[in-house]
Amino acid sequence: MQNKFDVVIFNPILHPDVIMYPQPGEKMNYARLLPTYSREIRIGAGGYTGMALSKLGFKCCFLDAIGNDMFGQFTIDEINRSGFDTSFLSRFDGDHMFCMILVQDGEGGTMVCNYPEKFKATTFDDYMKMIVSSPETDAFYIYSWFWSFVKPNLASQPTSELVKEISKKGIPVFLDINFKTFEAPPEFELNELKKALPYVDYLLPNCYDAEILVGKHDVEATMKKLVDLGANNILLKSGEEGSFLWDGNAIAHLPGYNVDVLDTTGAGDMFGSGLVYGLLSEHTLYESAELANALAAYGISHIKKNKYPDRNQLRNFINETKIR
C-alpha cells in the first residue's frame, strides 16, 4: 500500500538555489566581482513551499526528474535531510539546473540560471505518468507554469490536461503561477493555462501573473476577469500591500506585516505554504489567507534556514508583529 501524504508538490523545475549574501551596504559592481561573506545552498523553485510545510509538521513529497550531477545529488540529499520521501523523484543521467541568487539590501533575485546542455528534456508523457501514479494525498500543489522557459519541448504540449488529470483525484488543487521572465509567454502555453483554471481550486497569482492572464487593471476588475476565466478561489499576492482574496462571493484585503525585509527569496512559495497549512488545519479560507501572509512575512524577515518557522514560532510571530 502506498504512503499517504498531506501534500504532493508537482514541480517540473525543482533545483538548488545558491544564495549569496554580501556585506550590508555592498552594491553590485559589474567592473569587479562582488565580495560575498556568507552563502547558502538550498532547494529553490517550489522547494521553499515543501520545506516550510515540512517544518510545520506536514508530510510532503515532490514529483520531478532530478539530474545525476552534484547539484542533483544535493537536491536529493537535502530532501532526505528534511524528512521528505524521495520515492516519486526519478533520476536522469545528466546535469541538473541550478540558480545563482544575490541578496542585496533585503531583496532576492535570480541573477543566473544555469541550464545545462544535457539537461533532461522530460516529456509531457513523463509528467502525465508521474501524475497518474502519484501517491494518495490531501492536497496537490502545482508550482509554476510556463515550464517551457526551462524545458522548451513543453511549449506546444496540452499542459492543461495535466491539471485536468490531477483534478480527477478529487482533492484540492493549488496553482502558484510564478512566471519569472519579463518576455511574453508563448501564446499556446498561455491559452493552456486559461484552459486549466477551471480545474484549479486555489489560484495564487502575483500582480504580474495576473497581468499576463487578464491585462493590467485594478484589483476588482482583475478578480472579475480571473473569475470569468473560470478561476475559483483566488489569492492575489501584492507585495507590501499584502494580498487580496476572492472566495467566490466577495473581495477581501489582507494587509501585510510590518517587518524588516532581509531576503525576499521564496516569499511567494511560503505564502502558498501558509494557505495550505491553514486549510489542511481546518481554518477558514480567510484565516488561511492570513496565515499565508504571516508565513511570507516571516520568510522575508529571516535569512538562511531560519526562514522556516515551526508552528510555535509562527504563532509567536503573528502575536508579536504588527500589521501594516
Side-chain angles (χ1 to χ4, degrees):
M1 182 176 178
Q2 285 185 329
N3 285 333
K4 167 75 181 291
F5 290 89
D6 297 308
V7 187
V8 168
I9 301 173
F10 177 47
N11 183 13
I13 51 173
L14 184 66
H15 61 72
D17 281 343
V18 182
I19 316 286
M20 295 176 290
Y21 297 96
Q23 288 272 49
E26 284 275 7
K27 293 291 185 181
M28 184 71 171
N29 186 336
Y30 292 95
R32 62 180 174 83
L33 292 174
L34 178 68
T36 58
Y37 301 93
S38 180
R39 61 115 179 99
E40 181 188 29
I41 305 178
R42 59 176 175 249
I43 307 175
Y48 298 90
T49 305
M51 291 295 187
L53 284 168
S54 180
K55 193 67 182 289
L56 290 166
F58 289 90
K59 186 178 180 182
C60 308
C61 76
F62 291 103
L63 302 184
D64 197 11
I66 303 293
N68 242 347
D69 66 346
M70 60 179 290
F71 293 104
Q73 190 59 51
F74 168 83
T75 302
I76 293 290
D77 291 345
E78 189 69 6
I79 288 172
N80 281 327
R81 278 194 294 270
S82 301
F84 290 101
D85 186 299
T86 57
S87 305
F88 300 92
L89 287 172
S90 60
R91 303 298 297 270
F92 62 86
D93 185 19
D95 292 343
H96 203 61
M97 187 182 88
F98 68 93
C99 283
M100 302 286 290
I101 295 176
L102 179 72
V103 173
Q104 265 189 154
D105 294 336
E107 293 297 313
T110 301
M111 304 296 290
V112 178
C113 174
N114 179 275
Y115 181 18
E117 183 179 354
K118 294 183 179 179
F119 194 54
K120 172 69 174 179
T122 315
T123 68
F124 172 84
D125 288 341
D126 290 336
Y127 286 128
M128 183 62 83
K129 288 175 184 175
M130 289 182 194
I131 288 168
V132 170
S133 61
S134 63
E136 186 180 353
T137 182
D138 290 328
F140 211 107
Y141 193 98
I142 306 170
Y143 176 83
S144 195
W145 194 266
F146 304 110
W147 306 312
S148 67
F149 84 91
V150 173
K151 301 183 180 179
N153 60 302
L154 295 178
S156 59
Q157 296 300 308
T159 43
S160 64
E161 292 298 314
L162 299 176
V163 185
K164 185 176 180 180
E165 185 66 33
I166 293 168
S167 73
K168 293 178 182 178
K169 296 177 180 293
I171 54 173
V173 179
F174 298 76
L175 172 59
D176 182 357
I177 299 173
N178 196 42
F179 187 51
K180 291 293 190 184
T181 176
F182 288 100
E183 296 177 3
E187 191 65 28
F188 180 89
E189 204 171 3
L190 178 61
N191 288 333
E192 284 298 302
L193 171 58
K194 292 177 180 179
K195 287 162 62 175
L197 292 184
Y199 303 105
V200 173
D201 297 287
Y202 300 96
L203 179 67
L204 289 80
N206 57 36
C207 292
Y208 181 47
D209 297 330
E211 185 177 338
I212 289 168
L213 273 167
V214 299
K216 194 174 183 64
H217 307 281
D218 62 26
V219 171
E220 184 174 355
T222 294
M223 290 292 201
K224 183 179 184 306
K225 289 178 179 294
L226 288 172
V227 170
D228 289 344
L229 287 176
N232 295 301
N233 302 291
I234 305 165
L235 281 94
L236 180 65
K237 296 174 280 189
S238 193
E240 290 185 357
E241 292 183 48
S243 59
F244 296 87
L245 167 66
W246 168 260
D247 64 358
N249 296 300
I251 298 171
H253 176 224
L254 296 96
Y257 284 81
N258 188 17
V259 296
D260 293 328
V261 178
L262 299 180
D263 179 4
T264 62
T265 309
D269 306 29
M270 294 186 69
F271 180 93
S273 302
L275 180 67
V276 175
Y277 164 53
L279 290 172
L280 294 190
S281 301
E282 299 186 348
H283 290 278
T284 67
L285 179 55
Y286 186 89
E287 291 167 343
S288 300
E290 290 182 312
L291 287 167
N293 268 6
L295 195 56
Y298 189 101
I300 65 175
S301 58
H302 292 75
I303 64 171
K304 299 191 176 181
K305 293 193 172 88
N306 292 328
K307 292 175 80 74
Y308 310 120
D310 60 27
R311 297 190 183 205
N312 287 333
Q313 289 170 322
L314 182 60
R315 188 180 304 112
N316 291 339
F317 174 82
I318 293 170
N319 292 336
E320 296 168 3
T321 311
K322 292 181 179 179
I323 299 289
R324 285 187 180 275

